[in-house]
Amino acid sequence: DAMDVLQRRNPPIQPLLAIVQVLLSKNKMLCCVGTLEILSTLKIVEEVLKLNEDPRVHGIYLHLPSAALTTRVLETLKPEKDIDGISDLNIGRLVRGDLSKGFVSPLASAVLDVLEKHDAPLEGKTVLLVGGEGRVGSALQCLIERSGMVMQSDAVVLLGGGNIDILPTCFRPGAAVIHCEPTLESGIAELIVITVKMSLWIFNVVRSCSRWIQGQQYRPWRLRSLKLQPLTPVPSDIEISRAQIPKPVNQLAEEVGLLPEELEAYGRSKAKVCLSLLDRLHTQPDGKYVLVAGITPTPLGEGKSTVTIGLVQALSAHLSLNSFACLRQPSQGPTFGVKGGAAGGGYAQVIPMEEFNLHLTGDIHAITAANNLVAAAIDARMLHEATQSDKALFNRLVPSVNGVRKFSPIQFSRLQRLGIDKTNPASLTPEEVTSFVRLDLDPSKITWQRVVDTNDRFLRKITVGQANTEKGQIRETGFDIAVASEIMAILALADSLEDMKNRLARMVVGTSRSGQPVTTEDLGVSGALTVLMKDAIKPTLMQTLEGTPVFVHAGPFANIAHGNSSVLADKLALKLVGRDGFVVTEAGFGADIGMEKFFNIKCRASGLRPNVVVLVATIRALKMHGGGPNVSAGAPLPKEYIDENLSLVAAGCHSNLKKQIQIAHLFGIPVVVALNVFKTDTQAEIDLVCEIAKGCGASDAVPCNHWAQGGRGSIKLAQAVNEAASRPSNFQFLYNIEMPIADKIRTIAQKVYGADDIELSPAAKDKIDYYNQQGYGLLPICMAKTHLSLSHMPDKKGAPTGFVLPIRDVRASIGAGFIYPLVGTMSTMPGLPTRPCFYDIDLDPVTGEITGLF
């Protein structure tokens, strides 16, 4: 009946029992008993481990001799699949009387069933167990004692095999004598035991399967927040981070409903999360989706990451609402350059902040390796094509192995692109061989550059191929910072491993002399790129100072890329938080850059629609936009930013803040303004910002003190977000994807930046014509523009008007899936200042502690 019910409710699921046996030759055992015992134990452990992790197997029965049931074997057996009830945990649960989760030995249960039928009630009766020193005996003894029988002689149970002689005086006349190991002389009681045991085995397998199905369902959170005791004055970020002991990452994962098999730990405090979660929870409704953006920032940054973390700490640790933060991984360029890390700050941080800000789980290193493998493949291919004949190239690209020559799978893709429908290398004509082996890249039209995750201005333009071994293949190229790589953008926009593989294959690295795009798939390298990126595609789980969960994944800049964390991190988090939970994700720089790209690029790729925009503002940035003096990193703030100045604040609100609220409304999403409070802000300034923000169309505007107080300082923001998320939104894209490329650029320039028009350089016009010819005209636009102004002029603050936006060049990231116009002079490789952050970063060799990170 239980089997029928299970299969009616879950037709695809078939309960499966795996039986492990050891078959050994007697002769071999006599010759080498010790070695065979070791080998057989290792083999048993190996097979049990495989069965433990096989989701198709719901029960494991170890049909082994007693000597093979070693402690090591029994410790290996997963208790959830131990349908024979012999693992330590299942025996312990039985002794404790907790039978709700574990399994009881079917044999022991069958014996008890026979005893009950033979002489009910059992209470007060006596029974004698013979050969009951094993685990089944322990289980039976426990069951008998729980039934009220005394271990004497109203019944005799023989647990061991072979002939066992028992004196008739050991039991009363008419007592039941049950042999648990069947013989030719077995009576009806023994047959009943066997039948019941087999039935209970099947029942346990079905029960194990049912428990597995139940375990795959969405699990309500049991989040234990970490307590904060904020100090005044607020210590340094690294001191605060180090003072809080994070929960073990496997404990955090369990609290938010992740299964052990969905976690790949990287030390104690961080772990990769497997994408199989999306399949497991595919029917689970998504939670509410919140985007944190900002006004146009000062060079110091305005604290979007800090607001994001403070908000989720308030939602989960103080309002008991499920919430996940989704953040980008910081580049080492800013960490060791000017800006510092990106773990948040004060009492709103991701911890451990050292691990967050440095190598994390190696995703950026994987991107660097993959990117530079493509660069190496380009130059190597150009060298070999320049120095070999068609025949020599073909023989090396399609080598004969053991007398057989065949194409590799990735070469079939190139043949298909060329329109060659052949599978036998020998059948290609000389013209087809030439087309196949010669990419014929034009050195002047190679768009792919090498990357490194360091601010290094002297790599912006370099010359390669100067060694004699490169046979005169000299060309100019350059380096980008690693997070500007197209592979980073692909990591952030892919929604599955297969999608990432396809995007990596579509990346265009340059143009042939005949004007055709050349892809990584043409180079034969895209499969290897996927291998290098197979772990990087999994988001990294960490936690905030108050123990709430965070996904850290991908890290494209917003001024030279699309500037958002990964689609996959958001999708995983939206499933985990549940229908009433919140996922808070961050877009880089101002709303005109990161938010616009979030809506027009990321939301198109993901299919997700946000419920609320949180717009971060600071009084110092508003004063700058209101006409205050310039702000420089590392220099003291002018007095206008320290003293109360309501006129500067009001001017900044009516220009930049108002414009950024209007930009959000272009997409039909409600806006909550979060004023990130600094100690120099006065109450009059704070009240003025909140009043003007509401008057400009914000659903609400609240001051936030998370930096000094943690989540408690953002409770009002959390309440405002919760309220705004409950209202209906009317999301819409800014432009129709089918519009011409120039019109899409013009729409962004006019509606978002406030420009009168755009001016395309001759090179930009030629590129647009070329992309249209190649069929790239339906891609969204990713503007590469300064983040320091709504315009292309960094010194123009507030909300400039009356300008024409110059488009110097237009490039394409075909794998990532967007066209990116270059506005003005944008560099994809930052430089170091006179005094970089690395001056203050050091390591104590005695304690191993890092100092100077912020």
Side-chain angles (χ1 to χ4, degrees), residues 417-734:
R417 276 170 56 84
L418 294 171
I420 301 173
D421 186 20
K422 295 180 180 179
T423 58
N424 183 0
S427 66
L428 266 64
T429 66
E431 293 77 13
E432 289 171 339
V433 168
T434 300
S435 298
F436 175 74
V437 300
R438 298 220 172 259
L439 301 180
D440 199 26
L441 273 161
D442 184 340
S444 67
K445 294 183 178 178
I446 293 172
T447 56
W448 196 265
Q449 301 207 118
R450 289 167 172 83
V451 299
V452 64
D453 197 33
T454 304
N455 291 0
D456 193 344
R457 67 177 71 244
F458 284 91
L459 292 178
R460 289 171 179 168
K461 182 176 283 190
I462 62 169
T463 303
V464 296
Q466 297 189 80
N468 292 333
T469 51
E470 275 54 78
K471 302 178 182 179
Q473 297 299 306
I474 298 173
R475 69 181 183 93
E476 280 193 352
T477 182
F479 273 75
D480 296 327
I481 194 163
V483 293
S485 169
E486 183 176 355
I487 297 175
M488 173 62 87
I490 287 173
L491 178 67
L493 290 169
D495 65 5
S496 67
L497 186 59
E498 182 179 9
D499 184 34
M500 182 180 74
K501 180 179 180 179
N502 292 335
R503 287 172 179 268
L504 290 171
R506 292 198 300 267
M507 291 191 302
V508 174
V509 301
T511 306
S512 70
R513 288 185 172 87
S514 64
Q516 294 303 307
V518 177
T519 68
T520 51
E521 192 171 56
D522 291 326
L523 281 168
V525 74
S526 58
L529 302 182
T530 309
V531 171
L532 285 171
M533 295 293 294
K534 70 179 180 64
D535 293 319
I537 197 173
K538 303 166 190 171
T540 298
L541 177 66
M542 295 187 76
Q543 63 193 283
T544 67
L545 278 166
E546 297 192 56
T548 66
V550 178
F551 274 140
V552 186
H553 201 212
F557 284 169
N559 53 352
I560 55 179
H562 74 284
N564 287 270
S565 65
S566 78
V567 166
L568 281 169
D570 291 357
K571 286 192 169 184
L572 290 170
L574 284 164
K575 294 299 182 188
L576 285 169
V577 296
R579 186 193 301 272
D580 298 321
F582 290 82
V583 171
V584 184
T585 191
E586 177 202 355
F589 295 127
D592 57 303
I593 298 183
M595 184 187 73
E596 180 270 315
K597 295 171 182 177
F598 173 87
F599 289 136
N600 284 321
I601 298 175
K602 185 175 179 180
C603 287
R604 288 186 200 271
S606 68
L608 300 174
R609 302 292 182 262
N611 299 93
V612 186
V613 168
V614 172
L615 191 66
V616 178
T618 62
I619 285 173
R620 73 182 180 195
L622 291 169
K623 287 180 176 179
M624 179 188 71
H625 291 297
N630 288 335
V631 175
S632 300
L637 283 173
K639 64 181 182 64
E640 288 87 347
Y641 296 97
I642 298 171
D643 299 336
E644 183 178 286
N645 193 320
L646 297 178
S647 62
L648 285 180
V649 172
C653 287
H654 286 298
S655 58
N656 197 267
L657 178 60
K658 180 180 180 180
K659 177 63 176 175
Q660 301 288 13
I661 293 172
Q662 290 172 345
I663 294 170
H665 286 163
L666 289 174
F667 299 92
I669 304 297
V671 178
V672 173
V673 171
L675 181 61
N676 191 14
V677 175
F678 286 68
K679 62 182 180 181
T680 54
D681 301 343
T682 68
Q683 191 61 48
E685 290 173 329
I686 292 170
D687 292 342
L688 180 62
V689 172
C690 294
E691 179 185 344
I692 295 176
K694 293 175 188 176
C696 292
S699 299
D700 205 345
V702 292
C704 304
N705 293 283
H706 43 268
W707 184 81
Q709 300 174 16
R712 188 173 300 282
S714 281
I715 290 177
K716 289 183 179 178
L717 174 62
Q719 292 169 335
V721 167
N722 192 14
E723 170 65 22
S726 65
R727 300 174 189 166
S729 61
N730 185 28
F731 177 79
Q732 59 186 6
F733 292 115
L734 183 65

Side-chain angles (χ1 to χ4, degrees), residues 218 221-227 247 252 255-256 308-325 543-550 573 576-578 580-584 710-712 714-715 717-719 721-722:
Y218 177 79
W221 284 24
R222 300 189 305 277
L223 189 69
R224 179 182 65 86
S225 60
L226 301 176
K227 300 302 179 186
K247 294 177 284 191
L252 173 66
E255 289 175 358
V256 299
T308 300
I309 297 161
L311 174 56
V312 294
Q313 288 180 179
L315 286 166
S316 291
H318 299 274
L319 300 184
S320 300
L321 294 169
N322 295 351
S323 71
F324 239 106
Q543 63 193 283
T544 67
L545 278 166
E546 297 192 56
T548 66
V550 178
L576 285 169
V577 296
D580 298 321
F582 290 82
V583 171
V584 184
R712 188 173 300 282
S714 281
I715 290 177
L717 174 62
Q719 292 169 335
V721 167
N722 192 14

Side-chain angles (χ1 to χ4, degrees), residues 67 109 131 145 164 226 236 246 276 339 344 372 406 499 633 644 761:
S109 297
E145 289 175 351
I164 301 176
L226 301 176
S236 70
S276 58
K339 189 171 177 287
N372 293 344
K406 60 181 181 179
D499 184 34
E644 183 178 286
S761 71

Side-chain angles (χ1 to χ4, degrees), residues 37-53:
E37 285 180 354
I38 294 171
L39 288 175
S40 62
T41 297
L42 291 175
K43 184 64 176 173
I44 293 167
V45 167
E46 181 182 333
E47 291 302 318
V48 171
L49 285 171
K50 289 180 185 176
L51 295 171
N52 281 346
E53 302 307 318

